[in-house]
Amino acid sequence: MADDLGVTRRGMIGSGTAALTLAGASGPAWSAAEMQGTQVPGYYRFMLGEYEITILSDGSYTLPTDLIAQNQPRDVVKRYLEANFLDPEFRTSHVNIPLINTGEELILVDVGGGGNFLDGAGKLIENMQAAGYAPEDIDKVVITHAHPDHLWGLIDDFDDPLYPDAQFFISKPEWEFWSGDRAVETLPEMFQSFAAGASRRLPMIADTVTLTAEGDEIASGITVLDTPGHTPGHGSVMVKEGGETLIITADTTTHPYVSFQHPGWWPGTDLDPKIAETSRRKVLDLAATGRSMILAYHLSFPGLGHVARQGSAYRFVPALWRWQL
Ligand SMILES: [Zn+2]
């Protein structure tokens, strides 16, 4: 009986006729509402001093958890995930992209995955528009690194550049790695498409790009911080305004529990995991010591919070009190 009902209910989804027939034949009238499968527009605003920061969602996608910690036994990782109420096999990775309004300029940090990366990504533009902006409004774009989920949204579905009036910034080593042959030569097979995607897009900004070094200023109070390892020239961004500091950690921290409680676990997406661990520890220490906020791309939206010390490691403390509903 239960099986029969289960089958019938599944069959009714999206089928008004079946619902009416069943209701008429066997008692109480009820009809199945369609599953919507969507969320409200994904953006979250807060003030950092006089700067208004809007975190725009580029969507989310599912990744296998065997990418979480290459240097740990698989059963250790699985047990850890289960203890934290997470699926041991797959994880949902959100993509949280900050747009900083300094009052004078609009500065976007990374451009999301666009329409050619993974199902579920590429929602940046619709969320940007829902938040009141268009790509043409953007004055500056900082690229933290040239992985697809941070770079491929540079172009639209017709391969035309999406940010015609923007000045671009990327670290010199990152630009050189992806612009030359090194990416193709050194990336493992599963990441070769990353090299192809970057080499298609980076030439489009060659005329307007500024290659940065540690400490270079993007705008007043906004500077770049070298955090290599995830990619050779991976960078983070520091925003200091009104006595507060926000560190946009980029992909030094990619998991809400693992990156903080186990900074020595090496994600499979880090190209040089040892150097990446050093960068991760540097960012975590900086944020914990300075009581800074952090914004992390792949934590649960909006990925905004603090870093508290816990034993010899850390924990992520979400900061959701920054804006009234
Ligand atoms: Zn990423």
Side-chain angles (χ1 to χ4, degrees):
M1 183 66 190
D3 279 348
D4 287 344
L5 186 61
V7 169
T8 307
R9 286 189 182 193
R10 276 196 294 279
M12 282 164 50
I13 293 171
S15 168
T17 309
L20 283 174
T21 304
L22 181 69
S26 61
W30 59 280
S31 61
E34 277 188 37
M35 306 286 179
Q36 301 295 332
T38 54
Q39 305 288 0
V40 291
Y43 65 88
Y44 178 87
R45 283 203 175 100
F46 67 102
M47 297 300 291
L48 190 82
E50 297 292 310
Y51 288 1
E52 185 182 70
I53 301 182
T54 307
I55 303 172
L56 303 166
S57 172
D58 191 43
S60 63
Y61 41 81
T62 302
L63 297 172
T65 56
D66 53 12
L67 289 171
I68 283 181
Q70 302 281 287
N71 60 343
Q72 294 299 313
R74 187 83 179 109
D75 61 314
V76 170
V77 177
K78 283 188 180 185
R79 276 204 307 275
Y80 176 79
L81 294 173
E82 280 174 333
N84 284 284
F85 305 95
L86 295 171
D87 186 323
E89 300 295 341
F90 295 98
R91 73 163 295 215
T92 299
S93 180
H94 289 188
V95 187
N96 315 313
I97 296 184
L99 175 60
I100 306 163
N101 186 349
T102 66
E104 293 178 1
E105 291 178 315
L106 282 174
I107 303 168
L108 187 66
V109 186
D110 290 340
V111 292
N116 294 311
F117 181 42
L118 291 175
D119 286 348
K123 296 179 178 165
L124 180 69
I125 301 301
E126 66 182 76
N127 284 326
M128 183 185 290
Q129 287 166 344
Y133 303 109
E136 304 83 55
D137 301 335
I138 306 299
D139 299 296
K140 292 176 178 172
V141 175
V142 182
I143 302 290
T144 63
H145 64 295
H147 272 172
D149 50 323
H150 301 256
L151 176 73
W152 285 14
L154 199 62
I155 55 179
D156 64 16
D157 291 344
F158 304 98
D159 279 8
D160 290 324
L162 266 171
Y163 301 93
D165 299 322
Q167 186 186 355
F168 290 85
F169 299 83
I170 188 170
S171 87
K172 189 163 186 284
E174 188 70 0
W175 178 266
E176 289 175 347
F177 176 77
W178 295 96
S179 299
D181 297 332
R182 264 176 63 219
V184 176
E185 286 165 5
T186 55
L187 286 174
E189 181 63 32
M190 68 182 287
F191 296 128
Q192 280 293 320
S193 65
F194 290 17
S199 67
R200 244 179 81 209
R201 288 164 180 79
L202 291 179
M204 294 181 180
I205 60 170
D207 292 340
T208 52
V209 75
T210 299
L211 303 184
T212 60
E214 169 97 357
D216 281 359
E217 193 171 75
I218 307 298
S220 177
I222 304 178
T223 54
V224 293
L225 181 69
D226 285 348
T227 48
H230 182 67
T231 58
H234 180 276
S236 302
V237 177
M238 300 265 287
V239 185
K240 292 189 180 200
E241 162 58 21
E244 292 193 284
T245 300
L246 171 73
I247 304 173
I248 299 165
T249 62
D251 283 2
T252 55
T253 49
T254 51
H255 193 281
Y257 303 117
V258 175
S259 301
F260 298 82
Q261 293 175 2
H262 295 290
W265 287 14
W266 291 355
T269 45
D270 286 350
L271 195 56
D272 189 325
K274 209 168 162 48
I275 297 177
E277 182 187 336
T278 303
S279 293
R280 182 161 41 256
R281 291 185 184 280
K282 169 173 133 178
V283 164
L284 292 170
D285 180 67
L286 200 60
T289 303
R291 296 182 66 79
S292 310
M293 281 204 297
I294 66 162
L295 171 55
Y297 285 88
H298 299 305
L299 273 50
S300 306
F301 180 81
L304 185 69
H306 294 272
V307 179
R309 290 188 198 280
Q310 183 170 271
S312 59
Y314 305 88
R315 70 188 163 93
F316 177 67
V317 184
L320 296 175
W321 41 266
R322 301 289 304 199
W323 196 258
Q324 294 181 358
L325 298 173

